[in-house]
Amino acid sequence: MGSENKNVVRVGSRKSELALIQTNFVIDSLKKVYPDKEFEIVSMTTLGDRILNVSLPKIGEKSLFTKDLEDALRNNSVDFVVHSLKDLPTTLPEGLAIGAVFEREDPRDALVLREELSSHSLKTLPAGSVIGTSSLRRTAQLRGAYPHLSVVDVRGNLNTRLRKLDAASKDYSALLLANAGLQRMGWAHRVSKILPCSEIMYAVGQGALAVECRSDNDEILSMLAPFNHPETYCRVLAERSFLKTLGGGCSAPVGVSTKLRQMDAQYKLTIDGAVWSMDGTTRIGHTLEQALPAIRKTQKHKLSPTEEAQSKKLRKNGAGASPNPVEELNRRISEGRGVSCVDTRSPDEIAALRQPRIFCGLSRNGSIPDEVIISCDNLGRDLANTLISKGALDVMKVTQDIIRSAAAAQKS
């Protein structure tokens, strides 16, 4: 794994309290399955942590909170890193992959109000009330739906933002934050209202933790595999495919909402996606659905047709145990029969091996049938192409031009 002691796994993390809580959650989960392993946290600050006087879009970097951690991965200083999935670009650096996406928590946004305003909603807040957020997605939706409010940039980690909200200066009336982060910090009592997706659509991947590693590190990938949550994987793959096709990120207001429901023997994956103009007055959105077979592999998925036939034959003959492979090899050699070099894999197995192992940065989830993974990937792509046909790229370009001009003015 890169470290001299094979039982020591080095884990990269940002230094913020929330990041360390999330990293320790992942480590505690792994320890339950791998009690013989030792996990060593290597914490560091990222570009997004260091530059706090400029709004996130104006910084102009796609990997604000991930690049330093990924550099540590690539130079073998750590074995894996823990991220909030929403911070990870849909295309990762060469040689890196998301080895596991842990079960998603509530992906919705939360409204956090000053105490004296706690009885209000976004709709009933007094005109001119200042809402703090660093997200273009939230800003555009707030401006479009609640023009009586003033939306102002607020930077810093969760602790810092809440201190700004509670300050005696009363610069902010409320904050919009990810509910999952507040819950992980133990601050559920600060949530004034969880905002439904009909009011504020959430960010791609929000609420899920991702573990990134080197794509050729089979040992780490195998270690992470049991935690690659199938239902979460299907949803976030569709979301990331949607965003990747649009070419969005923190430089454009893009929001999503996904649902995965079991319908008798099948599942139905629904994805809503939208883009907004900076002032929120233009919205281009659409909804698509996809029926999926069982999203977790069953025995029939695990066995090729050849293996299934052999298994049935063994059961029919009452021979439950496989012959000792070493003895079988010796017997073949002594009989002069040698060993067959004929490829006995089925056409489906061979085709699967030729398919890409990485989907929008996500390594293939071995618990999910390949056809389901491909369907989720295609669903997100189809939704993005539908929005593009409605003019989404033109709306996004205007936003990106505004951001570039503002960033250039900031530098000069």
Side-chain angles (χ1 to χ4, degrees):
M1 269 181 283
S3 53
E4 292 182 7
N5 186 343
K6 291 292 184 180
N7 279 330
V8 176
V9 181
R10 301 156 304 165
V11 185
S13 172
R14 291 169 61 193
K15 286 185 175 180
S16 73
E17 184 178 356
L18 176 59
L20 290 170
I21 286 173
Q22 294 176 163
T23 298
N24 278 300
F25 169 79
V26 169
I27 288 174
D28 290 344
S29 301
L30 288 165
K31 280 180 176 177
K32 293 174 184 177
V33 179
Y34 308 105
D36 59 321
K37 296 290 184 184
E38 295 180 28
F39 296 88
E40 174 186 299
I41 295 178
V42 180
S43 61
M44 61 194 77
T45 58
T46 65
L47 182 63
D49 298 313
R50 294 190 292 271
I51 303 177
L52 296 175
N53 60 340
V54 182
S55 65
L56 295 178
K58 290 179 183 177
I59 298 174
E61 288 282 341
K62 291 184 178 179
S63 307
L64 291 173
F65 298 104
T66 61
K67 185 178 184 302
D68 298 85
L69 293 162
E70 289 175 334
D71 287 345
L73 260 181
R74 297 175 80 178
N75 65 31
N76 205 27
S77 298
V78 297
D79 297 304
F80 67 75
V81 297
V82 179
H83 302 281
S84 293
L85 180 59
K86 67 183 177 65
D87 292 334
L88 276 173
T90 53
T91 300
L92 301 184
E94 185 71 26
L96 301 183
I98 298 168
V101 179
F102 278 63
E103 184 173 2
R104 191 179 212 167
E105 297 187 41
D106 186 349
R108 294 173 295 175
D109 282 334
L111 175 66
V112 181
L113 293 158
R114 284 185 62 87
E115 188 175 354
E116 65 268 25
L117 297 170
S118 60
S119 62
H120 284 275
S121 65
L122 286 169
K123 185 177 181 178
T124 64
L125 278 171
S129 294
V130 176
I131 313 298
T133 178
S134 61
S135 161
L136 279 179
R137 170 186 57 83
R138 294 174 182 138
T139 297
Q141 292 182 80
L142 284 171
R143 286 176 175 168
Y146 307 101
H148 70 290
L149 302 176
S150 175
V151 186
V152 176
D153 186 65
V154 60
R155 291 293 316 280
N157 57 36
L158 278 181
N159 311 59
T160 301
R161 294 184 194 197
L162 288 173
R163 280 198 299 271
K164 291 179 178 180
L165 175 66
D166 297 334
S169 60
K170 299 185 179 182
D171 293 333
Y172 299 93
S173 303
L175 300 175
L176 248 60
L177 300 166
N179 183 46
L182 290 166
Q183 301 296 331
R184 289 171 186 144
M185 291 285 283
W187 292 340
H189 64 283
R190 294 301 309 261
V191 175
S192 305
K193 180 185 178 183
I194 297 175
L195 300 173
C197 298
S198 58
E199 194 168 359
I200 300 287
M201 295 177 79
Y202 50 79
V204 166
Q206 186 162 301
L209 297 181
V211 183
E212 187 180 18
C213 63
R214 291 180 291 278
S215 58
D216 62 353
N217 194 333
D218 292 337
E219 185 176 355
I220 290 293
L221 286 167
S222 297
M223 179 187 295
L224 296 173
F227 302 93
N228 208 2
H229 190 251
E231 288 83 356
T232 300
Y233 184 100
C234 289
R235 291 175 62 190
V236 301
L237 174 55
E239 293 172 18
R240 286 173 67 82
S241 179
F242 166 66
L243 185 62
K244 182 178 181 179
T245 306
L246 280 177
C250 67
S251 61
V254 178
V256 295
S257 171
T258 53
K259 296 183 181 70
L260 183 64
R261 294 191 179 95
Q262 188 164 4
M263 313 285 287
D264 298 323
Q266 288 191 323
Y267 287 80
K268 183 172 74 174
L269 177 60
T270 304
I271 179 168
D272 295 290
V275 301
W276 292 263
S277 59
M278 281 281 281
D279 61 5
T281 57
T282 300
R283 178 189 186 276
I284 298 176
H286 195 70
T287 302
L288 287 180
E289 295 179 346
Q290 174 67 51
L292 302 171
I295 61 172
R296 292 176 184 261
K297 283 185 178 178
T298 60
Q299 186 70 6
K300 69 178 181 179
H301 291 113
K302 293 178 181 178
L303 296 179
S304 69
T306 302
E307 292 170 324
E308 181 71 26
Q310 290 173 340
S311 177
K312 289 178 180 177
K313 183 178 179 181
L314 284 173
R315 289 195 293 271
K316 183 177 180 180
N317 293 339
S322 300
N324 184 301
V326 176
E327 292 179 359
E328 176 67 12
L329 180 61
N330 289 336
R331 183 178 65 79
R332 284 173 172 267
I333 293 173
S334 65
E335 293 177 359
R337 293 166 55 192
V339 182
S340 173
C341 295
V342 177
D343 192 340
T344 59
R345 292 173 297 186
S346 70
D348 287 344
E349 287 178 295
I350 294 171
L353 290 172
R354 291 172 179 162
Q355 292 171 1
R357 294 180 62 236
I358 308 295
F359 298 84
C360 299
L362 300 164
S363 61
R364 176 186 278 131
N365 189 321
S367 300
I368 305 175
D370 286 341
E371 62 267 25
V372 171
I373 294 176
I374 293 169
S375 292
C376 296
D377 191 20
N378 289 340
L379 181 64
R381 186 182 302 113
D382 291 345
L383 178 62
N385 285 328
T386 301
L387 264 60
I388 290 169
S389 71
K390 295 181 176 184
L393 295 186
D394 294 331
V395 173
M396 293 171 66
K397 185 179 184 304
V398 171
T399 300
Q400 289 162 350
D401 288 345
I402 293 171
I403 292 169
R404 287 192 201 96
S405 297
Q410 183 96 27
K411 290 177 181 177
S412 60

